[in-house]
């Protein structure tokens, strides 16, 4: 294929984890690649800042990174040579209940199951075989719909994963077993009655048992900085403070990959798209938003359940029934006084996050898309419910409602941090039903954001698969599967 003489072989618009991953894969092939980023730092959802008080480092968006740590593509990169170091919590995740007990996700399947009482065998039956299969099927689960490398093992995953989370929850009979599954599935940010929400729970459980829910030392920004440094070491270029509102702003290139959602794609390049593709992008559905809060604390969060004190992530929501009701309410456009709250306490394991003797807290709850409601008191009361005395330890806070989340990151439409609703109808066909979801209808233009498979999360796989598609289409380069 004869290529036009251009300023660059490829340009990546947006330096989130997917944009960085796409740029790296293309630069590794010897191409000349440019990343343009609207903000003054790279990262997208991977940014860390002193949001509350001096010396307290808070992850602005993503915080705990099981998918980054074991991403089929990111784990092939020498990011440790560029300053990235992970620390591991003693317990990956804990789910407390009102009686002072909690369910936990430990690295060991046996230890996790043993703490579920009468659901011990049910948990082992669910997860043991899949734990052995996960290294073989991870790249297929975290990718577009295609012929899998291991079809029978993928079928085993799919038989469970395509179910609704409520169906999976009902396979357990104890409060602890049901609550553990519900807390994991609620990461999907949608009603747990929806098909395929069980897959979200499975992926999170499997990453815990096959590697762990890693915490990047110094903050999530360190992942982005390492990716950017590695990219530049290969000869790549990055331009910051470069906000793209039109294709005409960009230098010439044979391929342009957009780490943005359909709404921005239409604004930037809509005039290049076919009427059918434009219609499909206009019909793309965004999901619920989040209300985010960060705390500076003068001591660790005083959870009643002792295992919570050693966990990197805490799922606050009580029983499975409560979590199901909370997620259903948000999807219906309602706010609840008892939301499901995702909380992280990175400073317990990473002393660089706060001044000596002090700590940080990170949390969010799900709210209707575009919500401006202040959920501070509601979230803090939910924490206090499982950690009496928590409020007395707050010495600073910073909040962002769903609209402010979008103001911070244009990809978070209405506060949706998943790049679009991740339900069954948009699981493999996001953002449009096409032979390849990464191709647009315009030659040389591709989308590589979390609005493509496999969706939200810091794993870089959307960028990897989009770049792989562009390399084949435009440059006639075929990349072996990771």
């Amino acid at each position: 294929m004869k290529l036009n003489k251009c300023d660059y072989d490829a340009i990546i618009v947006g330096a989130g984890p997917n944009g960085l991953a796409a740029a790296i894969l293309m630069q590794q092939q010897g191409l000349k690649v440019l990343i343009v980023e609207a903000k003054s730092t790279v990262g997208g959802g991977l940014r860390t800042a002193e949001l509350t008080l001096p010396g307290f480092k808070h992850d602005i968006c993503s915080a705990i990174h099981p998918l980054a740590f074991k991403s089929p593509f990111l784990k092939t990169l020498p990011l440790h040579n560029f300053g990235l170091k992970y620390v591991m919590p003693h317990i990956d995740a804990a789910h407390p209940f009102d009686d002072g007990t909690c369910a936990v996700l430990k690295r060991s399947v046996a230890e996790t199951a043993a703490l579920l009482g009468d659901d011990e065998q049910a948990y082992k039956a669910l997860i043991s075989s899949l734990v052995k299969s996960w290294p073989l099927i991870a790249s297929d689960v975290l990718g577009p719909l295609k012929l899998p490398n291991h079809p029978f093992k993928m079928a085993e995953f799919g038989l469970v994963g395509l179910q609704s989370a409520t169906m999976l929850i009902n396979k357990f009979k104890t409060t602890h077993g049901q609550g553990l599954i519900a807390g994991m599935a609620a990461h999907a940010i949608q009603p747990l009655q929806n098909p395929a929400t069980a897959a979200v729970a499975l992926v999170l459980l499997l990453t815990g048992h096959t590697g762990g829910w890693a915490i990047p030392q110094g903050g999530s920004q360190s992942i982005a900085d390492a990716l950017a440094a590695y990219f530049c070491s290969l000869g790549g270029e990055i331009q910051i403070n470069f906000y793209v509102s039109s294709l005409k702003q960009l230098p010439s290139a044979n391929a342009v990959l957009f780490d943005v959602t359909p709404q921005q794609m239409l604004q930037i390049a809509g005039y290049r798209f076919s009427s059918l593709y434009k219609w499909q992008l206009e019909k793309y559905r965004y999901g619920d938003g989040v209300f985010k809060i960060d705390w500076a604390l003068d001591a660790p969060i005083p959870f009643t359940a002792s295992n919570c004190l050693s966990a990197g992530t805490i799922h606050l929501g009580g029983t499975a029934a409560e979590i199901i009701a909370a997620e259903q309410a948000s999807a219906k456009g309602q706010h609840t006084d008892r939301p499901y709250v995702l909380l992280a306490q990175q400073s317990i394991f990473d002393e660089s996050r706060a001044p000596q003797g002090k700590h940080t807290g990170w949390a969010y709850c799900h709210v209707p898309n575009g919500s401006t409601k202040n959920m501070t008191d509601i979230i803090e009361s939910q924490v206090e419910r499982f950690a009496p005395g928590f409020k007395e330890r707050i010495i600073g806070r910073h909040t962002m409602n769903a609209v402010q989340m979008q103001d911070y990151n244009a990809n978070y439409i209405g506060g949706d941090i998943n790049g679009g609703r991740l339900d069954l109808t948009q699981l493999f066909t996001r953002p449009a039903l096409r032979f390849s979801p990464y191709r647009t209808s315009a030659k040389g233009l591709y989308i590589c954001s979390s609005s493509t498979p496999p969706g939200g999360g810091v794993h870089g796989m959307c960028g990897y698969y989009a770049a792989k598609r562009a390399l084949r289409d435009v440059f006639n380069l075929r990349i072996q599967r990771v």
Side-chain angles (χ1 to χ4, degrees), residues 309-329:
L309 304 175
S310 302
T313 300
I314 314 291
H315 294 157
L316 302 176
T319 65
E322 284 185 80
I323 294 172
I324 291 168
E327 295 304 284
Q328 184 71 33

Side-chain angles (χ1 to χ4, degrees), residues 39-321:
K39 299 288 187 178
S40 59
T41 59
V42 300
L46 292 170
R47 290 195 175 99
T48 305
E50 295 182 347
L51 298 176
T52 56
L53 299 172
F56 290 84
K57 297 179 181 178
H58 303 280
D59 291 326
I60 303 176
C61 301
S62 59
I64 309 294
H65 296 283
L67 292 176
F69 183 54
K70 285 293 187 178
S71 161
F73 178 58
L74 298 187
K75 73 179 182 181
T76 69
L77 308 179
L79 300 182
H80 59 282
N81 293 332
F82 296 88
L84 179 59
K85 181 179 180 180
Y86 287 107
V87 294
M88 304 302 296
H90 305 307
I91 294 173
D92 289 322
H95 188 121
F97 299 95
D98 289 316
D99 64 359
T101 63
C102 71
V104 299
L105 172 63
K106 291 192 172 186
R107 219 62 42 80
S108 163
V109 172
E111 289 183 40
T112 301
L115 293 172
L116 296 179
D118 289 343
D119 277 328
E120 179 178 4
Q121 294 307 316
Y123 187 78
K124 288 181 177 179
L126 168 69
I127 210 75
S128 295
S129 177
L130 290 172
V131 167
K132 297 175 183 176
S133 300
W134 182 247
L136 302 175
I137 65 174
S139 61
D140 288 320
V141 174
L142 299 175
L145 190 62
K146 62 183 185 300
L147 184 65
N149 293 319
H150 300 275
F152 293 108
K153 295 185 184 303
M154 268 297 289
E156 181 186 13
F157 177 90
L159 284 173
V160 181
L162 291 176
Q163 298 177 28
S164 70
T166 52
M167 290 177 65
L168 187 58
I169 289 165
N170 288 334
K171 296 180 185 296
F172 294 81
K173 56 187 177 183
T174 68
T175 300
H176 285 63
Q178 292 180 346
L180 179 66
I181 301 301
M184 296 292 166
H187 283 251
I189 318 183
Q190 60 183 289
L192 301 194
Q193 297 90 339
N194 286 359
T197 43
V200 175
L202 284 184
V203 168
L204 291 173
L205 292 169
L206 291 168
T207 54
H209 292 312
T210 58
W213 290 19
I215 300 171
Q217 191 172 68
S220 295
Q221 184 75 51
S222 61
I223 301 177
D225 289 346
L227 288 166
Y230 175 56
F231 170 67
C232 290
S233 77
L234 297 173
E237 299 178 39
I238 300 175
Q239 291 186 27
I240 57 174
N241 298 314
F242 191 131
Y243 179 79
V244 178
S245 57
S246 170
L247 279 174
K248 298 175 182 177
Q249 297 171 253
L250 298 175
S252 59
N254 286 297
V256 181
L257 284 71
F258 294 90
D259 188 5
V260 302
T261 79
Q263 189 172 116
Q264 298 103 294
M265 281 282 290
L266 287 167
Q267 295 169 353
I268 295 169
Y271 68 96
R272 290 278 304 275
F273 298 151
S274 69
S275 57
L276 174 60
Y277 189 68
K278 285 174 66 176
W279 176 81
Q280 288 179 304
L281 294 188
E282 288 166 353
K283 294 293 183 181
Y284 188 74
R285 294 176 295 112
Y286 291 93
D288 295 348
V290 301
F291 182 95
K292 167 81 177 347
I293 185 167
D294 292 280
W295 297 286
L297 305 169
D298 65 5
I301 301 173
F303 287 106
T304 301
S306 59
N307 275 334
C308 288
L309 304 175
S310 302
T313 300
I314 314 291
H315 294 157
L316 302 176
T319 65

